[in-house]
């Protein structure tokens, strides 16, 4: 019987890992299996551009089946429902079509080694009405839904203005959470609104867009040095964003967010991006140790605390950095770094060699304010300490994060070809996805 290595979740960490495992082990003695609930992969940090329409996800997404064929792993389309550690099996939920007809019945997949890499979900902190009335930005479907609603609202306002040019009609958008997602989306929306007039909405422009960015903490971008966060806030305010810090949302109604002060912010679209927590797996993880935030506790080898054969990487795990006692932050760079250590340790475990400890290397944080600016800090080996960067250099560093991911999942040759194609697309394709 072949040794089966099952990876659940083909995101920033999982997809890089299956590529490495497939390339190393091939199909003869080993069976590398990716279980993923979506048929295609899109790198999560691009989702705000998909939501704003400035990126066509069809051009950047990766089909798991063809990727698996190329790199020597098998793709199982389905959602993890539970794990059975005694039998060493993962339970995959039944899949239904849009009419409720069962397409694939619940089934089990055997594993010798299992890697959990299923990411995180938005944390609404139990705030009433958020689930029902706010949009989220967790996957492509949600980003597409945001874009459709955005375009419909722009169309509505444009139509009103063409009938009555004195109308004060606006598109009002409220974003909760002043972290990277909220800040990047706010800037990207102004970029898209400015471009719409070239695509048939002649009477619409960015002056008809009102974005309110609401943050409970004292400042936006807490992961960045204060000076850079202030610089980003000034940039957003220059675009027209109403940035409200020290403001806590206590309820979301249909069409309005209610603050602790009692004040409410009316909005046509409300997006919740105020933090993440581990996703709940319906049937549980068979007693694996979890944090109160629902993340899987791992040792420094990235093995789960209670089971040597099960690893967890990326946003779904809680890995404590020895020097600081703090958890590794939920970032794409963390997931990519963990996928390298998990790969090394699975190979070592099979070869009965000692495992290595995961060492998190903080490369800094970069925030793209669309075409308007990029701010961030680079750290560690790259610059020998923390260095604040802004403008062109920061933009290049930001773009290179995605390029490294492309090389991580496609290898050098195809990765570089895709980077080149990306440049060509920027020239020949429309600046906005309008459908
Ligand atoms: C809008 C946005 C912008 C961001 N910007 C940045 C940034 O600029 N820089 C940065 O470092 N980080 C950024 N992040 C965070 C970064 O995207 C995540 O930290 C990173 O993607 C985590 O990687 P992961 O592999 O752990 O999980 P993910 O990339 O989220 O992948 C998880 C995968 O598991 C699949 N899955 C989930 N549940 C199941 C299940 N039950 N069964 C099967 N499959 C399942 C999902 O479909 C997904 O494909 C951003 C995130 C968002 C949402």
């Amino acid at each position: 019987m072949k040794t089966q290595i099952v990876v659940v979740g083909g995101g920033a960490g999982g997809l890089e890992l299956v590529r490495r495992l497939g390339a190393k082990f091939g199909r003869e003695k080993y069976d590398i299996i990716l279980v993923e609930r979506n048929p295609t992969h899109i790198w999560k940090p691009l989702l705000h551009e998909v939501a704003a329409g400035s990126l066509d996800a069809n051009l950047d997404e990766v089909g798991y089946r063809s990727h698996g064929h190329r790199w020597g792993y098998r793709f199982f389309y389905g959602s993890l429902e539970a794990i059975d550690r005694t039998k060493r099996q993962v339970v995959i939920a039944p899949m239904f079509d849009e009419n409720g007809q069962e397409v694939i019945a619940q089934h089990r997949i055997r594993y010798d080694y299992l890697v959990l890499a299923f990411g995180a979900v938005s944390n609404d902190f139990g705030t009433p009405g958020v689930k029902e009335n706010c949009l989220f930005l967790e996957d492509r479907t949600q980003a597409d839904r945001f874009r459709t609603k955005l375009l419909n609202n722009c169309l509505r306002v444009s139509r009103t203005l063409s009938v009555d040019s004195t109308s004060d009609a606006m598109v009002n958008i409220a974003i909760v959470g002043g972290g990277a997602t909220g800040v990047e989306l706010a800037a990207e929306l102004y970029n898209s609104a400015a471009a719409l007039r070239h695509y048939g909405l002649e009477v619409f422009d960015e002056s008809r867009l009102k974005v309110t960015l609401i943050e409970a903490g004292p400042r936006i971008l807490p992961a960045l040095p204060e000076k850079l966060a202030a610089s980003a806030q000034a940039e957003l305010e220059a675009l027209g964003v109403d940035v409200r810090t020290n403001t806590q949302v206590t309820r979301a109604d249909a069409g309005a967010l209610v603050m602790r002060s009692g004040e409410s912010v009316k909005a046509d679209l409300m997006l919740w991006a105020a933090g993440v927590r581990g996703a709940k797996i319906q049937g549980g993880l068979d007693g694996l140790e979890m944090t109160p935030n629902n993340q899987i506790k791992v040792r420094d080898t990235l093995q789960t605390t209670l089971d040597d054969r099960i690893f967890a990487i990326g946003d779904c795990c809680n890995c404590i950095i020895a020097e600081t006692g703090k958890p590794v932050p939920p970032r794409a760079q963390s997931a990519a770094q963990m996928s390298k250590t998990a790969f090394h340790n699975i190979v070592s475990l099979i070869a009965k060699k000692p495992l290595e400890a995961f060492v998190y290397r903080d490369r800094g944080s970069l925030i793209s304010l669309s075409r308007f600016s990029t701010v961030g800090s680079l750290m560690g080996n790259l610059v020998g300490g923390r260095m604040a960067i802004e403008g062109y250099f920061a933009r290049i560093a930001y773009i290179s994060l995605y390029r490294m991911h492309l090389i991580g999942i496609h290898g050098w040759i195809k990765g570089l070809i895709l980077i080149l194609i990306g440049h060509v697309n920027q020239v020949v394709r429309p600046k906005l996805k309008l459908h």
Side-chain angles (χ1 to χ4, degrees), residues 8-14 35-38 44-45 47-48 64 78-80 117-120 137 180-181 184 281 313-316 330-333 335 366 398 401:
V8 180
V35 176
E36 166 58 56
R37 64 179 176 189
N38 289 309
K44 244 183 167 182
L47 285 180
H48 67 282
Y64 291 113
S79 192
L80 177 74
F118 51 75
L137 215 47
T181 306
E184 292 189 328
I281 300 298
I313 62 169
D315 286 6
C316 72
R331 293 196 194 148
Q333 58 170 317
L366 291 159
Y398 182 84
L401 289 177

Side-chain angles (χ1 to χ4, degrees), residues 301-313:
T301 54
L302 302 180
Q303 288 163 298
T304 51
T305 46
L306 299 181
D307 197 322
D308 281 358
R309 287 177 182 265
I310 305 182
F311 293 75
I313 62 169

